[in-house]
Amino acid sequence: MTERSHSPLPNIPKSPFPKVVIIGAGFAGLKLARNLNKKKLQVVLLDKNNYHQFQPLFYQVATAGLEPSAISFPLRKIFHHSKNVIFRMAEVESLDTDQKRLFTDSGYLDYDYLVLAMGADTNYFGAKNIEFFASPMKTVSEALYIRNKIISNYEKAINIEKQENRRALMNVVIVGGGPTGVELAGAMAELRNNVLPKDYPELSFKNM
Ligand SMILES: Cc1cc2nc3c(=O)[nH]c(=O)nc-3n(C[C@H](O)[C@H](O)[C@H](O)COP(=O)(O)OP(=O)(O)OC[C@H]3O[C@@H](n4cnc5c(N)ncnc54)[C@H](O)[C@@H]3O)c2cc1C
């Protein structure tokens, strides 16, 4: 727990209404906060980022089809006209359910009702090698990391003389063949067929 967790989260207005604290402004937390707009409740929406991320299009950011700003939406703007929904960027670190108090990296906050909507993180199912070597794709910055990694691998590959030594840099392995893996594979195939050969005409893409 950080030092700041020991003082209250500042500038939360006093309200005669019960306080609902929602942790997480993903699909679930955001929808709930919007539904509680104009209700006789004080709603405090907390997220570690000040923007909502539209996860279904991460694959487009990872393959340079969209810019991160196209799938990231500022949370403050969504609640510009709300009188009872307050947004705070803060990372929740722990809870004391007896005291009805939560602790964030910017201070503590008391609640009457608490909603946990923190989503999920990438599950490696205990495969330590995959966890160590792979790049997850659960945030905009992780999607951007994948994009940069692929491009920088090609920049390195073009400086390598022998084709067999370039292979490890030019191949992409996607672990997980659900909708996300399939979409990502399709977008990678489009890059391979239409974009990368134009950017790197000296490289052979037959083996990618
Ligand atoms: C690549 C990808 C593609 C997907 N495609 C689809 C699709 O096509 N269709 C579909 O229906 N679903 C899709 N999903 C699933 C869908 O995005 C999730 O089911 C949905 O986002 C879950 O919503 P949520 O609100 O529970 O969590 P999330 O949307 O993950 O939101 C959780 C929020 O909590 C915040 N948070 C987490 N921990 C803390 C903390 N300690 N303190 C403060 N804030 C915190 C995070 O910053 C985040 O904003 C996809 C998911 C991924 C990763």
Side-chain angles (χ1 to χ4, degrees):
M1 211 182 286
T2 55
E3 271 295 299
R4 278 179 295 174
S5 301
H6 297 291
S7 45
L9 197 62
N11 300 321
I12 301 289
K14 290 231 172 314
S15 163
F17 302 121
K19 189 190 289 168
V20 180
V21 177
I22 303 171
I23 311 174
F27 285 153
L30 189 56
K31 179 85 178 169
L32 178 63
R34 291 175 96 149
N35 282 354
L36 297 181
N37 190 24
K38 295 187 183 159
K39 299 276 190 298
K40 289 188 172 176
L41 294 165
Q42 184 184 47
V43 179
V44 183
L45 178 62
L46 301 175
D47 201 290
K48 57 187 173 184
N49 300 309
N50 66 351
Y51 52 88
H52 171 81
Q53 312 181 69
F54 189 76
Q55 300 184 14
L57 290 177
F58 281 166
Y59 81 98
Q60 288 276 2
V61 171
T63 52
L66 284 176
E67 291 308 317
S69 57
I71 62 159
S72 312
F73 305 95
L75 289 163
R76 291 190 171 277
K77 192 173 175 195
I78 297 169
F79 296 104
H80 266 179
H81 301 294
S82 174
K83 289 198 170 69
N84 70 318
V85 182
I86 300 159
F87 171 73
R88 272 304 135 82
M89 188 174 85
E91 181 155 6
V92 177
E93 296 176 335
S94 61
L95 296 176
D96 180 340
T97 48
D98 294 334
Q99 243 186 315
K100 290 195 160 187
R101 174 169 288 183
L102 58 84
F103 297 88
T104 78
D105 56 358
S106 306
Y108 67 78
L109 184 63
D110 294 332
Y111 57 83
D112 296 301
Y113 300 97
L114 178 66
V115 179
L116 304 180
M118 284 112 74
D121 211 350
T122 305
N123 190 342
Y124 296 93
F125 298 100
K128 290 283 170 205
N129 262 352
I130 295 177
E131 185 169 353
F132 185 76
F133 288 109
S135 310
M137 199 176 67
K138 281 289 284 181
T139 63
V140 173
S141 34
E142 287 171 353
L144 205 52
Y145 176 84
I146 293 173
R147 178 201 291 203
N148 292 338
K149 177 95 179 165
I150 292 170
I151 293 170
S152 69
N153 276 354
Y154 277 88
E155 296 298 346
K156 283 182 198 155
I158 204 158
N159 289 328
I160 293 174
E161 186 73 47
K162 287 192 180 151
Q163 191 176 332
E164 62 266 29
N165 296 342
R166 290 186 211 134
R167 256 184 213 141
L169 291 166
M170 292 182 62
N171 282 337
V172 176
V173 177
I174 298 167
V175 184
T180 299
V182 170
E183 277 173 334
L184 190 60
M188 283 301 309
E190 279 175 26
L191 275 185
R192 179 224 182 256
N193 291 337
N194 305 320
V195 181
L196 294 173
K198 288 186 195 140
D199 282 347
Y200 303 93
E202 299 88 347
L203 296 177
S204 163
F205 285 86
K206 276 190 213 135
N207 294 322
M208 182 189 168

